[in-house]
Amino acid sequence: MISTRPTESPLVAAHDRVYRTLRTRIMHGEIEPGMALTLRGIGREFNVSMTPARESVRRLVAEGALSLTSSGRVSTPELTSERIEELAALRALLEVELASRALPRAHIALIDRLQTINSAIADAVTARDAVGYIRTNLEFHRTLYLRAQAPAMLAMAETVWLQLGPTMRALYGRLRRTEPPHFHKLIIAALKAGDEPGLRLAVRSDVTQGLRMLTG
């Protein structure tokens, strides 16, 4: 039997690979604020032509993960204090609601998983691994929010994380953490107790407190 399913063109596959890899790097703070990227450099690293490189950059600019100047310079954004405050407020709105919706579905296995991730965050802190810290921190939040079963809201939250990725890298250097985020323990405790007001407060504090240091 001959398959009638459309096959993905090599160009589309290459573009998707470049886009997803760059998106992950930016979200996890692997690229610092204000770092310039070139289409030629992207093409050389990923062994692709200019077209997939250009299309990947275009998508990331549209998502706010990269900035494009009138002269054509592409870089990770250097956020103003006002922009950081705006994104922190968005995190508070979206993530508090996601956590609240997740609470009724917060079974023991989820809580155990969050505690395991929090241990991995502690390991990253001990190793002074900024990228590992940001990656596992976002994993903690994403694991909880997936239980909300609100994919559109989660996608919006991830777009905010993407825009904040390089800035979170700068924040990590400012914080000089020696232990996992205090509010993660409060989030877990609230989930265990079924305490919605406590959960909302812990999530709001967790996603905004650190960012305030960058706007002070």
Side-chain angles (χ1 to χ4, degrees):
M1 181 177 176
I2 299 174
S3 173
T4 57
R5 290 176 61 188
T7 56
E8 191 175 41
S9 75
L11 201 61
V12 171
H15 149 246
D16 199 56
R17 174 171 58 88
V18 174
Y19 163 74
R20 290 183 184 279
T21 303
L22 287 176
R23 189 177 190 272
T24 299
R25 286 181 187 174
I26 294 168
M27 186 181 290
H28 292 168
E30 292 182 45
I31 306 176
E32 296 181 356
M35 182 172 290
L37 303 175
T38 65
L39 296 180
R40 192 180 303 278
I42 293 169
R44 187 164 49 244
E45 178 182 353
F46 290 94
N47 195 28
V48 296
S49 67
M50 294 290 277
T51 301
R54 186 180 296 109
E55 186 62 18
S56 300
V57 166
R58 184 192 65 78
R59 286 180 68 181
L60 290 165
V61 168
E63 290 183 290
L66 293 174
S67 299
L68 177 64
T69 67
S70 56
S71 65
R73 183 180 186 270
V74 177
S75 64
T76 48
E78 295 182 276
L79 303 181
T80 63
S81 294
E82 291 77 14
R83 181 67 171 156
I84 292 171
E85 286 179 359
E86 179 189 6
L87 292 172
L90 271 174
R91 284 199 69 178
L93 287 169
L94 291 168
E95 297 186 42
V96 166
E97 180 64 22
L98 281 163
S100 180
R101 291 180 181 221
L103 181 59
R105 304 182 184 92
H107 45 66
I108 294 300
L110 171 69
I111 293 169
D112 288 345
R113 176 66 183 146
L114 292 175
Q115 289 176 322
T116 299
I117 297 169
N118 219 30
S119 295
I121 295 172
D123 292 341
V125 170
T126 301
R128 299 208 170 276
D129 176 3
V131 173
Y133 170 79
I134 295 168
R135 184 185 68 251
T136 49
N137 186 47
L138 292 181
E139 184 186 356
F140 179 94
H141 288 275
R142 185 184 285 109
T143 298
L144 172 58
Y145 304 154
L146 281 169
R147 299 303 302 164
Q149 298 181 7
M153 202 177 295
L154 179 56
M156 292 175 70
E158 289 191 345
T159 298
V160 176
W161 298 346
L162 180 63
Q163 293 181 30
L164 279 169
T167 299
M168 295 301 291
R169 174 65 176 268
L171 173 62
Y172 180 87
R174 182 84 66 89
L175 286 177
R176 303 192 185 284
R177 285 201 183 278
T178 57
E179 57 184 35
H182 166 67
F183 293 107
H184 283 193
K185 293 179 181 177
L186 299 183
I187 289 170
I188 291 169
L191 290 170
K192 286 181 177 178
D195 175 9
E196 184 178 5
L199 178 62
R200 295 176 73 92
L201 178 60
V203 171
R204 182 180 294 110
S205 300
D206 184 56
V207 303
T208 60
Q209 187 188 57
L211 288 168
R212 287 199 190 102
M213 290 185 63
L214 295 177
T215 60

